[in-house]
Amino acid sequence: MLALPLRLPGTRFYRGLQARKKIMAIIGKAMSERRRGLQANGEDFLQRLLDDDDKACNGATTNGGGLTDEEIQDNILTMIIAGQDTTASAMTWMVKFLDENPEVLDTLLREQLDLARKVSSKSFLTLESINDMPYASKVVKESLRLASIVPWFPRLALEDCEKEGFKIKRGWNVNVDAKSVHLDPTVYNDPNKFNPSRFEDESKVPYSFLAFGMGGRTCLGMNMAKAMMLVFLHRLITTYRWKVINPDVSIQKWGLFSKLRSGCPVTVTCITENVLP
Ligand code: HEM
């Protein structure tokens, strides 16, 4: 998205196309190995698409046909691009914000240790446990607001229209600037402060939380991403003591998503069981 579309060797665009080809080939190989029984059929999204495709080929679907192999590859690539880097980056920012805000970390630790005591006999967190993390949910939301992982997203005007006095012509590209909304002091009080409690008296300004987009194209993985971030938080907070070792706040240049250039390295020590009384 952030490169001139020049198919010339050496350009970012060209390297992107080459990388895409490589990933598509890896996905294509996995598909053919699964179909030939050479790779374990996991219970994953790829398998669902392949199974639906089989059903369509055998006439077991009513909608006339499954996806082509290229469409299946495209769907998997979309999930990788939309789901992997975004969530990883969100977790990185969350660690950074918590490291910088010990009082928030303290409140979070208390909530998570309480929860850990309740669920310690189980080896995994259930949906019920995830729904029992009110403060952690606000930490996740505030991290997503302040980091604006997808800082803007593009739209195409399908017809002439006028918004707040601005005339927009059919065919124009319009970028929704989520980051500016998230940092607008008329929407969020003291917007640069990491303050999860601001969501206690949740801002009611419509369209003011755009971390997952809004409307017809809202993020499909929104609930999954939130759940992953909560599980990650719980494990990190209750199992490890950690410290960010590189406080560099610069952001990766030309990235599609807002990512810390340093990757936010941390030192990690496992907490012994006596932390959970
Ligand atoms: C913290 C993590 C994530 C963030 C911040 C995020 C953010 C977004 C945003 C802002 C959009 C809307 C883009 C637009 O309107 O043009 C979007 C769309 C999308 N996201 Fe996510 N996302 C995350 C995680 C995920 C995950 C885990 C998945 C899948 C496993 C996923 C799959 C998608 C898909 C498929 C779309 C396109 C939806 C459509 O166009 O109909 N995302 N995401």
Side-chain angles (χ1 to χ4, degrees), residues 230-244:
L230 288 171
V231 172
F232 167 79
L233 256 193
H234 179 77
R235 296 288 178 225
L236 179 73
I237 303 295
T238 58
T239 322
Y240 302 100
R241 236 184 276 284
W242 48 274
K243 190 80 204 125
V244 172

Side-chain angles (χ1 to χ4, degrees), residues 217-234:
R217 314 297 317 194
T218 300
C219 176
L220 281 183
M222 177 170 69
N223 290 329
M224 183 180 169
K226 284 191 210 160
M228 285 195 282
M229 289 177 74
L230 288 171
V231 172
F232 167 79
L233 256 193
H234 179 77

